[in-house]
Amino acid sequence: MAENISDVNEVKIEALDTFLKEFGEEATHCVCAPGRVNVIGEHTDYNEGFVLPMALPMVTVIAGKPNGTNICTIISASSAGTMSVSKAEFDISEPAAIKPGEPKWANYVKGCIVNFPNALAGFKAVVISTVPVGAGLSSSAALEVATYTFLEAITGQQASDPVQKAISCQKAEHDFAGVPCGIMDQFISVMGIDGHALLLDCRDKSVIQILMENLKDHVFLITNSNSPHKLSSSAYRDRRDACFEAAKKLGKNSLREVSLEDIKTLEKQGVSKVTINRVRHVINENLRTQEAMKALQTGDYKRVGELMNESHDSLRENYEVSSPELETLVNTARSVKGVLGSRLTGAGFGGCTITLLKEDCVSQVINTIKETYTGKATFYMAKPSAGARQLDCHR
Ligand code: GLA
């Protein structure tokens, strides 16, 4: 069976109750921001390419209250076991003096506070998340975007531009978590619309919202390998740097401006085979992602599945970000009749896969994976959900 994902309202009530228990009064503001799964378009965002994620029903909720001081007290609690229960306290009188430290989860909160463009207010708050940590479903972006949305709520200062909001949250991750991520995760967490996936052009930040009702009797299943991805490891940075270097060698701003023809020039310049493979992945992945958007719009899920398979194969061969666990999950899923496509999702090196399949084959896929996979896999149905929003404080 796929895991039961708590309804946003249940998580909200848990956060409100925890706030009351911890602080002895009622919270006045409550917000949530979702995790995401990427359907296709991997390692393209930092190359100014295309991505096609959807926001998930798993959310990070913050319930809190301004306290009229310059002190922020935040308790991270979680019945779902996604974050250890701990407390962070810091002074915001001089935001520039706020530095990353322990506990680590609070760095995402601090980073957003430092990057918030408007006047700040001290607060007490409780954070509860149902987004699994380290699974490649963007628990960190959910926390960043939830923090920013909470700051908007308590200060009454809404971001005038959602793109700027996503960029501020991305900067929090760069500066306070040391992860040089692209814009995809924060963007979908801000911009998700219920029932839609989103095609984002990471160069001009334009979006196309894709209504997912054309899927008819097909669904997306997420399988968590529970082998943690190590995004902050140098592997992500190395690949990003190789792409930047290749674009520079061709006199281009990014790989978005590079075509398959240009690979010949790189070969003549003596660029390594490894780098050329990275470039080949990015160019083809951009083409696949745009095609997948059209196929989703017309309900051609067979083609979507083929493109997902091609994406994964290229991530394994050219980008080298798969892992033995992900290979087992993808190959096992693909061996079941009714599966149209399966691929790793997110940065890779562990984390989750996403599989497009006929709805009536879900149990069979889950059972086959459970029989084959020696680790412990967990399963979630990827229901396209809404982006960050303020919630009422009613129980
Ligand atoms: C991580 C990053 C994203 C993106 C993906 C790979 O999730 O946070 O910005 O680069 O990896 O597609």
Side-chain angles (χ1 to χ4, degrees):
M1 275 278 287
E3 300 282 304
N4 206 356
I5 302 171
S6 305
D7 180 70
V8 175
N9 204 42
E10 287 171 43
V11 192
K12 178 189 87 172
I13 291 170
E14 198 183 336
L16 292 172
D17 288 350
T18 310
F19 187 91
L20 179 61
K21 185 166 146 258
E22 295 290 336
F23 295 107
E25 56 182 324
E26 293 285 354
T28 52
H29 295 80
C30 197
V31 302
C32 74
R36 65 98 187 93
V37 67
N38 192 18
V39 177
I40 194 164
E42 222 63 85
H43 290 279
T44 44
D45 59 354
Y46 51 83
N47 289 306
E48 300 198 316
F50 295 92
V51 291
L52 208 165
M54 56 171 130
L56 291 173
M58 296 144 169
V59 288
T60 295
V61 168
I62 303 183
K65 184 178 180 181
N67 58 12
T69 74
N70 281 325
I71 304 296
C72 296
T73 307
I74 310 149
I75 290 174
S76 162
S78 179
S79 59
T82 51
M83 271 179 199
S84 53
V85 177
S86 72
K87 181 170 171 176
E89 195 158 80
F90 46 89
D91 191 332
I92 55 167
S93 339
E94 271 186 75
I98 301 176
K99 298 284 173 243
E102 295 292 334
K104 290 237 172 343
W105 62 265
N107 290 334
Y108 302 102
V109 177
K110 288 179 185 171
C112 288
I113 288 175
V114 170
N115 282 297
F116 191 65
N118 301 312
L120 291 162
F123 60 85
K124 13 186 185 182
V126 164
V127 183
I128 294 196
S129 185
T130 55
V131 189
V133 172
L137 300 179
S138 290
S139 58
S140 48
L143 178 53
E144 290 149 12
V145 175
T147 302
Y148 196 110
T149 309
F150 180 72
L151 294 174
E152 289 178 316
I154 61 167
T155 61
Q157 303 281 333
Q158 305 288 324
S160 50
D161 175 10
V163 174
Q164 203 46 54
K165 176 171 172 178
I167 290 172
S168 295
C169 293
Q170 178 198 24
K171 193 162 181 332
E173 182 132 356
H174 287 187
D175 298 348
F176 277 72
V179 179
C181 61
I183 191 67
M184 166 169 68
D185 308 346
Q186 292 77 10
F187 206 95
I188 182 67
S189 189
V190 171
M191 299 280 280
I193 295 186
D194 195 21
H196 294 71
L198 171 153
L199 179 87
L200 167 66
D201 178 339
C202 299
R203 182 164 60 180
D204 66 9
K205 312 289 186 297
S206 60
V207 300
I208 298 176
Q209 297 280 358
I210 308 158
L211 188 60
M212 296 296 268
E213 68 180 7
N214 272 334
L215 280 177
K216 294 192 184 88
D217 52 351
H218 292 77
V219 289
F220 287 102
L221 173 72
I222 299 170
T223 306
N224 187 351
S225 69
N226 288 300
S227 59
H229 75 150
K230 298 175 200 76
L231 182 56
S232 45
S233 74
S234 57
Y236 184 89
R237 195 181 290 270
D238 288 351
R239 282 157 180 74
R240 196 190 72 133
D241 291 350
C243 291
F244 288 3
E245 197 55 37
K248 206 165 136 203
K249 278 208 147 68
L250 291 164
K252 310 279 187 185
N253 286 328
S254 71
L255 289 188
R256 173 66 178 278
E257 288 156 35
V258 173
S259 68
L260 288 170
E261 303 291 288
D262 293 319
I263 287 184
K264 290 189 198 101
T265 313
L266 289 173
E267 279 165 350
K268 276 191 209 127
Q269 289 174 341
V271 169
S272 75
K273 195 163 181 307
V274 168
T275 297
I276 287 176
N277 284 343
R278 309 287 190 250
V279 173
R280 185 172 284 119
H281 167 79
V282 173
I283 297 170
N284 285 324
E285 187 77 351
N286 278 331
L287 298 172
R288 282 189 284 269
T289 306
Q290 293 170 88
E291 197 189 338
M293 189 253 324
K294 292 198 188 104
L296 278 173
Q297 282 177 327
T298 56
D300 187 356
Y301 24 79
K302 187 166 165 288
R303 185 69 191 134
V304 177
E306 287 165 1
L307 292 162
M308 288 171 69
N309 285 341
E310 285 171 27
S311 166
H312 178 83
D313 295 348
S314 172
L315 287 162
R316 182 188 60 238
E317 296 299 323
N318 295 318
Y319 227 72
E320 298 178 277
V321 292
S322 191
S323 69
E325 291 87 354
L326 294 171
E327 286 308 305
T328 304
L329 294 180
V330 162
N331 291 331
T332 309
R334 286 182 188 175
S335 73
V336 180
K337 195 161 174 285
V339 168
L340 294 133
S342 187
R343 60 181 287 276
L344 71 83
T345 182
F349 319 111
C352 290
T353 63
I354 179 168
T355 301
L356 175 60
L357 73 166
K358 285 197 130 176
E359 198 167 10
D360 54 15
C361 297
V362 170
S363 320
Q364 207 196 330
V365 169
I366 291 179
N367 289 336
T368 313
I369 289 177
K370 280 186 174 163
E371 281 161 21
T372 316
Y373 186 61
T374 49
K376 186 194 175 315
T378 33
F379 304 89
Y380 318 96
M381 299 314 302
K383 183 178 166 294
S385 302
R389 57 207 182 272
Q390 295 188 21
L391 306 168
D392 63 45
C393 289
H394 304 143
R395 285 190 178 74

